[in-house]
Amino acid sequence: MTSTPKFNPYLAHLHPAERATSSKVNAATSSKEPLFGFLPRNVSADQVRTAIEHDLNPFTKQPHTPQYKKILEARKKLPVFAQMDEFYKIFNKHQIIVMVGETGSGKTTQIPQFVAYSDLPHTKNKIVACTQPRRVAAMSVAKRVVDEMDVQLGRQVGYSIRFEDMTEPGTTFLKYMTDGMLLREAMNDPDLNRYSTIILDEAHERTLATDILMGILKSLAQRRPDLKLIIMSATLDAIKFQKYFGITGNAPAPLFKVPGRTHPVEVFYTQEPEPDYVEAAIRTVLMIHRAEEPGDILLFLTGEEEIEDACRKIKAEADDLINGDPESVGPLVCIPLYSSLPPQQQQRIFDPAPKAGRVDGPPGRKVVISTNIAETSLTIDGIVYVVDPGFSKQKVYNPRIRVESLLVSPISKASAQQRAGRAGRTRPGKCFRLYTEKDFMSELEEQTHPEILRSNLANTVLELVKAGIKDLVRFDYVDAPAPETLMRALELLNYLAALDDDGNLTPLGNIMAEFPLDPQLSKMLIVSPEFKCSNEILTITAMLSVPVVWLRPNNQRKEADIAKARLTVPDGDHLTLLNVYNNYIQNQYDKNWTWNNFLSARALMQADNVREQLKRTMERFEVELVSVQDQKKMFLAIRQALCCGFFMQVAHKEGEKGNYMTVKDNQVVALHPSCGLDTQPEWVIFNEFVLTTRPYIRTVSEARPEWLLEYAPMYFDMKNWPDGETKRALTRAANKREGKFGARFEEGERAGEAGVKKRKKNKLQ
DNA sequence: GAGCACTGC
């Protein structure tokens, strides 16, 4: 290589810097290369600025489109752009950095591009990844960056979310992805060798996946000095992350800080605590409507019912105002917003405010009444007033009874700030907090508890063990979960035979981890071929993994209930779910059919999608897809397979009043009113424990004690059980059974192990 | 005789 031809396909694959050193070519030709002189991980902002202005796209070597320059002018106005020099100074010097970028700083779109100029991942077959907590964000940011970089979506720049991989192996070097997706990858490739830099965006949201990734990446950074990490977060959490990612006993990780671009928001508190926050919220909205300048209102409430109720009341009161004095106030529209609303109705939040009732009359106003969805997931432009009663529904986990439930709780200071910020996106705004300043200062927690402290960790623990992390108690968590939560998870996985008594992954557990499911579900799915009903269990599993398919509109409850009764299988709710799905398929995914039967077409489509994904995983691990033809046998088989996964979620009837008592935890529960069983069987197996007006079990099927004893002998080993009616009933069943089956009971082999062992012998080894 | 904040694989 002594001369540089005009085009050399070999040279084109070489890194420009390497080319420059490997051949002393004439500088005039080479400098036409946009990336000429770039040294990986040691580039300067000057170099990057020059490359960005180059006529050729540095990554495709194609001339830029006119659109590129136009977008570039807008990019240059972003606050991060002004601090490019500082960014490279810090990034070049450190392996891990923490970045704080307020709303509007441009961090999510720009920082990954800056990193691409530094890592030059396209020359080394590496990828720069940027994680997002939400799928829509990963998708829309990737699309934006594609335009900014003048490349094609799914080629050089792409995204990867569940059900959709918009990347091209070997070509994609910048990838936006959900945090859950990267965690999945880490499970199978603990060194994440494809990545040169990993950026965790929105780290302050502390999703379960991001928290686990922080732990994994912190230790990975020691094994892989070539891997760089950027943790992007809101201000309040930065110090915590800096300390966490600091080298032990040494300095905290360096901070790169960029201001945001928002407008000031004036905050008001109430003088006294409000006894009824919904009533106070309604009053405040109407007060704003009467007395404040034009501008839309965003009110935060906790759930669907509260929101629909408030919508009706505000509408009624506003109408009264107008009728009473049409001169003083303009028209007002109320728009509800929560996640179970169909997307079409969610779009209504972007409708413009209503026009004035008449020429020169007072202008109209839009009020969006929303759950927390408007705090992070959706931004509504034009909001000037925020009404914040200070509550949201939050997930809480009680490890003692293994129950996750939703509880209306006070929000955190961080959350309150986020809410207030929603008023200042387009111009200066006001935020009305329906609590006192004193309560804000002294009663609200600084941060919302990270999800890892509020969740059942069974799934997470299985993923961690699969990723090679065995000592879960001493794992370096940003915030360690309660030991009891970990213990409960390990215990469940052990009973399910996913982990052996030493906490090692079993062959069964190894396959279970591959399914994006709760361990009870993956266990039941994997063992279902032994019962000759895997096609059916696959469907039921998919139906249990999506939101409830039944619709029950307020004004058509009766009709909805009748429609549901037509599809109900009296032997159990799980069989009803199977029946609904099968009917949906028989009716060829017909939307009219779903509509006429008060079923959510969206949820059913999702179920079908999930079913396909699970099916592919089953095929990959040679979990057979089989059915028995005889319906009676099939119904039995399905409930037996259910027992293999859900034997820890069993309740026994106590007395004649329809009360049930959960086995071992001894919680008194009732069958949920949605339950379709036509009798009250002595033993039931349930999918879910819900704590609302009282404790209910939901999605329930009949179980038989002999199945429990046969498929979960370790769990139903009665030697160390407390005395009680449940124990007596089980003992009766056991005695009866022992007479019948004798020796087989002694084996004590847990269902599922046999099948996996067989497969292992044949295929896995 | 009820209800499902939100997200993710």
Side-chain angles (χ1 to χ4, degrees):
Chain A
M1 279 193 297
T2 47
S3 70
T4 306
K6 271 216 168 74
F7 177 76
N8 180 328
Y10 173 68
L11 279 179
H13 290 285
L14 260 186
H15 183 266
E18 291 169 288
R19 196 175 327 160
T21 47
S22 66
S23 59
K24 301 253 184 271
V25 293
N26 96 45
T29 319
S30 300
S31 66
K32 281 185 182 148
E33 280 284 345
L35 296 179
F36 174 76
F38 273 57
L39 288 172
R41 293 274 169 85
N42 196 18
V43 307
S44 69
D46 280 334
Q47 284 179 302
V48 173
R49 275 189 291 260
T50 311
I52 284 178
E53 299 287 351
H54 203 282
D55 291 334
L56 292 183
N57 186 321
F59 301 104
T60 61
K61 311 278 156 67
Q62 299 293 310
H64 279 301
T65 62
Q67 185 196 273
Y68 173 84
K69 293 270 169 183
K70 231 167 97 188
I71 301 178
L72 182 58
E73 289 315 306
R75 284 173 66 196
K76 285 182 188 166
K77 295 191 186 109
L78 290 168
V80 259
F81 224 82
Q83 281 170 253
M84 200 195 279
D85 294 82
E86 190 190 344
F87 172 77
Y88 283 115
K89 235 195 232 148
I90 301 177
F91 186 67
N92 287 345
K93 226 169 89 189
H94 295 93
Q95 187 184 12
I96 308 178
I97 70 176
V98 173
M99 157 162 194
V100 162
E102 301 293 323
T103 320
S105 64
K107 64 175 189 319
T108 305
T109 50
Q110 304 310 305
I111 295 295
Q113 295 186 59
F114 292 180
V115 172
Y117 278 100
S118 169
D119 285 11
L120 303 169
H122 62 303
T123 64
K124 293 180 280 185
N125 206 12
K126 293 270 180 184
I127 300 172
V128 172
C130 178
T131 68
Q132 297 292 321
R134 280 167 293 278
R135 300 167 45 170
V136 266
M139 218 156 45
S140 58
V141 176
K143 284 179 185 154
R144 170 70 196 174
V145 171
V146 156
D147 290 341
E148 290 191 1
M149 292 180 72
D150 221 0
V151 294
Q152 273 176 285
L153 183 64
R155 304 259 301 143
Q156 294 83 358
V157 176
Y159 64 86
S160 176
I161 61 180
R162 187 181 186 183
F163 304 126
E164 212 183 340
D165 184 11
M166 277 294 270
T167 64
E168 191 179 295
T171 308
T172 302
F173 62 82
L174 175 52
K175 175 162 82 170
Y176 287 88
M177 66 202 302
T178 47
D179 49 8
M181 207 69 189
L182 185 62
L183 185 56
R184 286 260 132 196
E185 279 188 31
M187 207 177 69
N188 284 313
D189 173 19
D191 280 359
L192 292 168
N193 279 311
R194 311 157 63 186
Y195 301 100
S196 59
T197 293
I198 292 171
I199 304 163
L200 298 182
D201 199 2
E202 316 288 2
H204 61 276
E205 287 194 27
R206 303 293 303 274
T207 65
L208 191 46
T210 295
D211 258 37
I212 299 295
L213 279 171
M214 285 197 274
I216 288 177
L217 293 176
K218 184 181 173 180
S219 80
L220 177 56
Q222 287 172 13
R223 287 204 303 280
R224 271 195 57 195
D226 63 307
L227 176 74
K228 288 206 180 201
L229 301 178
I230 302 180
I231 314 301
M232 306 211 282
S233 114
T235 322
L236 280 165
D237 315 69
I239 293 175
K240 184 165 194 163
F241 294 140
Q242 282 183 270
K243 278 190 191 146
Y244 177 74
F245 283 103
I247 309 141
T248 326
N250 222 323
L255 179 71
F256 173 58
K257 194 172 169 161
V258 177
R261 232 179 21 187
T262 51
H263 303 272
V265 175
E266 203 177 345
V267 176
F268 302 90
Y269 295 90
T270 56
Q271 294 300 310
E272 299 292 328
E274 291 288 349
D276 179 343
Y277 68 84
V278 180
E279 184 270 329
I282 294 170
R283 203 169 1 99
T284 308
V285 166
L286 291 161
M287 180 275 290
I288 295 170
H289 187 46
R290 273 197 312 264
E292 294 284 345
E293 297 290 303
D296 298 334
I297 307 173
L298 173 60
L299 162 62
F300 286 100
L301 291 177
T302 65
E304 173 174 346
E305 207 178 305
E306 218 173 74
I307 287 169
E308 294 291 355
D309 196 44
C311 267
R312 275 192 300 274
K313 286 182 178 153
I314 291 175
K315 184 97 195 77
E317 298 240 14
D319 287 349
D320 279 356
L321 274 181
I322 293 187
N323 293 335
D325 185 2
E327 299 300 312
S328 69
V329 293
L332 181 140
V333 286
C334 274
I335 302 168
L337 176 63
Y338 42 87
S339 75
S340 57
L341 224 46
Q344 216 178 339
Q345 284 194 50
Q346 288 192 2
Q347 287 299 310
R348 283 187 60 209
I349 59 172
F350 300 113
D351 290 353
K355 290 217 171 65
R358 57 187 166 70
V359 187
D360 295 334
R365 206 189 289 270
K366 176 169 85 177
V367 185
V368 176
I369 308 183
S370 170
T371 60
N372 252 2
I373 194 172
E375 198 181 298
T376 48
S377 308
L378 277 168
T379 38
I380 313 156
D381 281 332
I383 297 294
V384 179
Y385 305 98
V386 163
V387 180
D388 172 21
F391 293 94
S392 70
K393 274 194 193 169
Q394 286 166 33
K395 187 168 74 180
V396 287
Y397 177 62
N398 180 343
R400 196 180 57 78
I401 52 173
R402 281 187 252 106
V403 169
E404 275 182 354
S405 49
L406 288 170
L407 213 64
V408 174
S409 327
I411 60 170
S412 63
K413 280 185 195 148
S415 200
Q417 272 171 15
Q418 178 76 14
R419 286 180 173 192
R422 294 299 186 186
R425 291 189 62 87
T426 35
R427 61 182 162 103
K430 291 181 181 176
C431 173
F432 298 88
R433 293 185 174 152
L434 305 181
Y435 37 92
T436 63
E437 185 164 15
K438 187 172 154 276
D439 280 351
F440 174 80
M441 296 307 287
S442 57
E443 298 297 315
L444 298 194
E445 305 247 15
E446 289 296 324
Q447 306 289 334
T448 310
H449 276 282
E451 204 183 356
I452 194 171
L453 303 182
R454 300 182 281 123
S455 306
N456 170 354
L457 297 180
N459 221 343
T460 308
V461 165
L462 185 60
E463 283 168 353
L464 280 172
V465 175
K466 175 127 188 186
I469 291 139
K470 232 200 102 183
D471 193 351
L472 293 143
V473 179
R474 263 175 286 176
F475 181 72
D476 191 0
Y477 301 95
V478 183
D479 282 294
E484 196 177 357
T485 304
L486 288 171
M487 223 188 62
R488 282 298 194 177
L490 289 165
E491 179 194 59
L492 173 78
L493 292 167
N494 180 238
Y495 279 129
L496 287 171
L499 300 180
D500 66 20
D501 292 345
D502 301 320
N504 296 310
L505 202 63
T506 64
L508 172 68
N510 193 44
I511 302 179
M512 280 169 64
E514 291 287 337
F515 287 90
L517 293 170
D518 277 344
Q520 295 97 318
L521 289 168
S522 53
K523 166 77 184 265
M524 140 175 128
L525 189 55
I526 294 167
V527 304
S528 60
E530 294 175 38
F531 299 91
K532 300 272 177 290
C533 61
S534 47
N535 279 310
E536 291 72 26
I537 291 290
L538 170 60
T539 299
I540 293 169
T541 304
M543 291 289 278
L544 291 173
S545 310
V546 300
V548 173
V549 295
W550 314 102
L551 298 178
R552 205 160 178 257
N554 257 332
N555 48 355
Q556 288 174 289
R557 291 192 182 175
K558 220 173 162 183
E559 293 89 332
D561 289 348
I562 293 168
K564 186 175 173 200
R566 277 201 302 266
L567 288 162
T568 297
V569 180
D571 302 56
D573 296 333
H574 297 88
L575 295 168
T576 300
L577 290 178
L578 175 66
N579 191 41
V580 169
Y581 178 84
N582 287 342
N583 272 277
Y584 173 62
I585 301 303
Q586 272 155 30
N587 285 280
Q588 286 147 18
Y589 308 87
D590 180 5
K591 281 220 167 125
N592 287 324
W593 179 83
T594 59
W595 183 257
N596 294 334
N597 286 281
F598 294 88
L599 292 164
S600 159
R602 194 160 54 126
L604 283 167
M605 245 157 63
Q606 257 178 8
D608 192 55
N609 215 348
V610 171
R611 193 180 187 278
E612 280 306 310
Q613 187 193 30
L614 297 176
K615 194 174 151 202
R616 283 195 295 275
T617 309
M618 288 172 82
E619 284 160 356
R620 189 147 58 90
F621 290 93
E622 298 179 42
V623 182
E624 272 181 302
L625 282 152
V626 285
S627 299
V628 336
Q629 288 315 311
D630 179 72
Q631 198 192 53
K632 216 169 166 187
K633 278 187 192 152
M634 192 233 284
F635 280 12
L636 277 175
I638 288 171
R639 285 182 293 146
Q640 287 171 324
L642 269 172
C643 286
C644 295
F646 287 87
F647 54 82
M648 290 173 88
Q649 286 166 221
V650 169
H652 182 246
K653 194 173 166 187
E654 308 277 315
E656 287 309 310
K657 281 197 164 161
N659 274 339
Y660 282 81
M661 179 114 81
T662 60
V663 164
K664 276 202 185 175
D665 301 322
N666 295 328
Q667 297 284 307
V668 176
V669 295
L671 300 182
H672 194 271
S674 66
C675 174
L677 285 169
D678 59 351
T679 58
Q680 290 186 339
E682 188 182 353
W683 296 91
V684 291
I685 199 152
F686 59 92
N687 181 61
E688 210 183 355
F689 178 113
V690 286
L691 193 62
T692 49
T693 48
R694 56 172 298 187
Y696 286 111
I697 49 177
R698 190 160 55 184
T699 315
V700 180
S701 288
E702 188 198 350
R704 299 208 183 142
E706 59 267 28
W707 298 340
L708 302 172
L709 292 164
E710 181 165 357
Y711 305 130
M714 317 288 261
Y715 188 72
F716 290 96
D717 178 4
M718 267 157 302
K719 277 198 290 281
N720 34 24
W721 268 42
D723 285 323
E725 201 177 320
T726 322
K727 181 173 179 171
R728 284 193 293 278
L730 265 179
T731 313
R732 279 197 301 276
N735 291 338
K736 210 164 115 193
R737 204 169 152 266
E738 225 159 320
K740 235 174 170 174
F741 300 99
R744 215 176 136 200
F745 185 41
E746 293 299 309
E747 264 174 55
E749 186 178 68
R750 286 168 288 193
E753 287 171 299
V756 170
K757 274 180 202 150
K758 231 181 288 157
R759 260 195 302 283
K760 190 177 158 194
K761 235 177 255 161
N762 296 340
K763 303 283 176 192
L764 297 180
Q765 284 190 351

